[in-house]
Amino acid sequence: MKFIRPSAEELAVLRPDPLLWEQELDVRPAVAEAIERAIGIRAGCVYWRSRHDHLYALELADLGRGRPSMAMVYGHWDRYEPRPPEHEIDADLLALSIWIAEIAPSLNPPDIAKVALFAGVKTTWPDGSVLRTPDDRFTNLPGFPYQQKYVEVEGLRMAYVEHGSGDPILLLHGEPTWSYLYRHMIPPLADIGRVIAPDLIGFGRSDKPAAANAYSYKSHTRWLRAFIEALDLRKITMICQDWGGLLGLRILAEQPERFARLVAMNTGIPIGDPPNEAFEKWRRFSQRVDLLDVPRLMRTSIKKRHLSDAEATAYGAPFPTKEYQTAALAFARMVPIRPDDPGAYENRVAVERLKTLDLPVLLSWGAEDAITAPAEPFLRSIFRNVAPPLWIARAGHFIQEDAGEEVARHIVEWCRPGT
């Protein structure tokens, strides 16, 4: 167990939720004394972050018996987000219980695990809580001949395609698209590296938790980070757009040693500033519909080219019914537009870390995208080593569809030795 000291700002945007309360901790003196030795205090509070990135606190009380007498465990959730899925909390509490058994000589860790199993404690996704789009929805995709691959992330199947060889070129999509969005860019980029295009959880061929509270800025970041770690990607050239950037930039700040270059396209890393009118319009629309007509949305969003019927259908393939669109409908409301919104604090921390990095950065922007136009100068102000501006005329938010081949040529040239 690694204890940390969270900042006052972080604690201010979280709400404590009491999870466990042991009023007679010193009934087993050896356990109470082992906890005191391990955390270094008899009374007070210590914090740790779980493998789900949830913040927890253990508060001890001393009633004058020479050892901790009471203990409470709190979970700290984002103030304006639902409580995380119960199986994540149960898994984290089980991990705490096993840790206590490991440090206390009178307890046996395997026994703790057996008791949890006997009690029916759920530490994985419950049956029926995860949807998987049928494979036949993805047959005969125009311009997308790649063999699908998968990795498991926290019990979820995360899909990706790859093409080429060499150092990884990671392509990150956003809402409401999937890796199909990059089909015009994959072939030219594969000439200079190993192109890897994942589908975020909830999108494409990746698994789709059915419950809305399964999706948060934190969980999406955690899943994508786990995907990168599962493939052990290093020397990454990251190409990100829309929510691909909101997630990828956070991971870049957390693990800069894995990255060699950054190409950010029509994206950002919002820190809680008020949104512009174009985003507000999209946010209001997306929250008032029960079902997104994704093929129609993509057709109306593309500025420079016409989507064929088959191409438009491919964008709707992951979503046979509205139940599969939980993640797609959640993303717009997850963008931090107030200082205390979930993710705003973490993004402010990430921005300060990004300011210290020297990796080369290329900002390629669709000039007709009113939603993300203000984000380009903000990103330009963050990074030290930014290439000259690259605004693509007549291209909109989905720059990969409007000008994918053109953007890929710029990236290939920019990535050549000496640049």
Side-chain angles (χ1 to χ4, degrees):
M1 188 75 68
K2 181 180 179 181
F3 297 107
I4 62 172
R5 180 175 294 178
S7 72
E9 183 183 5
E10 180 180 16
L11 289 174
V13 299
L14 300 175
R15 68 179 193 272
D17 181 8
L19 302 174
L20 297 175
W21 188 4
E22 176 52 70
Q23 294 180 292
E24 301 292 341
L25 181 63
D26 58 357
V27 166
R28 301 190 72 170
V31 175
E33 291 166 1
I35 293 174
E36 178 182 353
R37 287 194 301 271
I39 67 177
I41 59 172
R42 183 173 298 173
C45 197
V46 293
Y47 299 86
W48 72 96
R49 216 174 298 280
S50 74
R51 69 180 182 89
H52 295 101
D53 285 350
H54 301 320
L55 182 67
Y56 291 90
L58 172 62
E59 183 176 349
L60 300 178
D62 178 10
L63 300 183
R65 299 170 186 165
R67 62 184 67 89
S69 302
M70 293 194 303
M72 289 190 70
V73 176
Y74 296 88
H76 293 265
W77 322 130
D78 287 303
R79 187 184 303 167
Y80 300 115
E81 283 287 298
R83 181 179 166 118
E86 291 303 315
H87 75 271
E88 293 182 3
I89 299 173
D90 287 347
D92 293 341
L93 293 179
L94 179 58
L96 171 67
S97 300
I98 290 175
W99 173 77
I100 292 174
E102 289 172 342
I103 64 171
S106 60
L107 299 177
N108 184 20
D111 289 342
I112 302 297
K114 288 178 182 178
V115 169
L117 181 64
F118 179 77
V121 174
K122 297 290 186 182
T123 59
T124 58
W125 297 92
D127 293 342
S129 65
V130 177
L131 303 176
R132 181 170 294 174
T133 304
D135 287 339
D136 60 12
R137 299 274 299 182
F138 301 97
T139 57
N140 301 319
L141 297 171
F144 204 67
Y146 309 105
Q147 180 182 0
Q148 204 66 36
K149 298 185 176 183
Y150 301 95
V151 297
E152 185 173 298
V153 173
E154 293 185 17
L156 299 171
R157 191 177 75 166
M158 191 164 179
Y160 70 103
V161 299
E162 66 174 290
H163 187 49
S165 61
D167 290 338
I169 302 174
L170 182 64
L171 310 182
L172 302 179
H173 71 85
E175 172 196 17
T177 62
W178 56 294
S179 54
Y180 185 75
L181 179 66
Y182 280 99
R183 70 193 182 283
H184 301 302
M185 298 180 64
I186 291 174
L189 292 174
D191 288 338
I192 62 169
R194 174 192 173 197
V195 177
I196 300 170
D199 297 337
L200 299 177
I201 296 296
F203 296 85
R205 297 190 197 224
S206 291
D207 283 348
K208 302 167 180 67
N213 72 326
Y215 298 100
S216 65
Y217 201 150
K218 184 178 297 183
S219 65
H220 272 293
T221 304
R222 190 177 75 239
W223 292 328
L224 180 56
R225 184 177 64 234
F227 171 83
I228 292 171
E229 292 172 348
L231 295 183
D232 195 22
L233 302 182
R234 299 181 184 276
K235 299 182 180 179
I236 302 169
T237 295
M238 180 167 65
I239 302 176
C240 55
Q241 177 262 349
D242 191 84
W243 263 94
L246 274 73
L247 302 174
L249 291 171
R250 278 267 289 270
I251 296 169
L252 170 60
E254 294 172 1
Q255 300 184 341
E257 68 279 1
R258 289 186 178 271
F259 295 87
R261 298 182 192 86
L262 167 67
V263 180
M265 310 184 302
N266 296 83
T267 187
I269 182 164
I271 57 175
D273 293 332
N276 61 26
E277 183 179 352
F279 176 76
E280 278 281 31
K281 183 178 179 180
W282 159 246
R283 183 183 174 106
R284 286 195 298 268
F285 167 78
S286 69
Q287 300 312 296
R288 291 173 180 173
V289 298
D290 292 328
L291 176 68
L292 283 176
D293 186 341
V294 176
R296 181 181 180 185
L297 173 65
M298 295 303 294
R299 274 187 158 150
T300 58
S301 301
I302 305 307
K303 308 295 184 182
K304 294 183 70 170
R305 60 182 302 270
H306 172 74
L307 284 184
S308 69
D309 290 344
E311 289 174 316
T313 298
Y315 280 111
F319 311 120
T321 66
K322 67 179 183 180
E323 288 77 16
Y324 290 76
Q325 288 193 354
T326 304
L329 291 170
F331 256 152
R333 69 173 178 266
M334 284 163 46
V335 176
I337 60 172
R338 288 178 290 272
D340 55 354
D341 272 355
Y345 165 76
E346 290 86 351
N347 282 2
R348 289 192 290 271
V349 172
V351 165
E352 294 307 309
R353 292 172 180 165
L354 294 173
K355 289 179 180 178
T356 68
L357 305 184
D358 288 318
L359 82 170
V361 176
L362 173 65
L363 303 179
S364 178
W365 236 255
E368 300 300 317
D369 179 18
I371 290 178
T372 64
E376 198 273 356
F378 178 66
L379 288 181
R380 187 167 294 280
S381 72
I382 292 174
F383 293 101
R384 299 177 177 181
N385 187 8
V386 188
L390 179 59
W391 290 83
I392 307 299
R394 296 175 51 221
H397 182 68
F398 298 103
I399 190 172
Q400 305 96 318
E401 195 64 77
D402 273 325
E405 298 93 337
E406 179 183 355
V407 173
R409 288 196 299 270
H410 283 292
I411 294 172
V412 169
E413 183 62 31
W414 178 70
C415 287
R416 293 194 188 283
T419 63

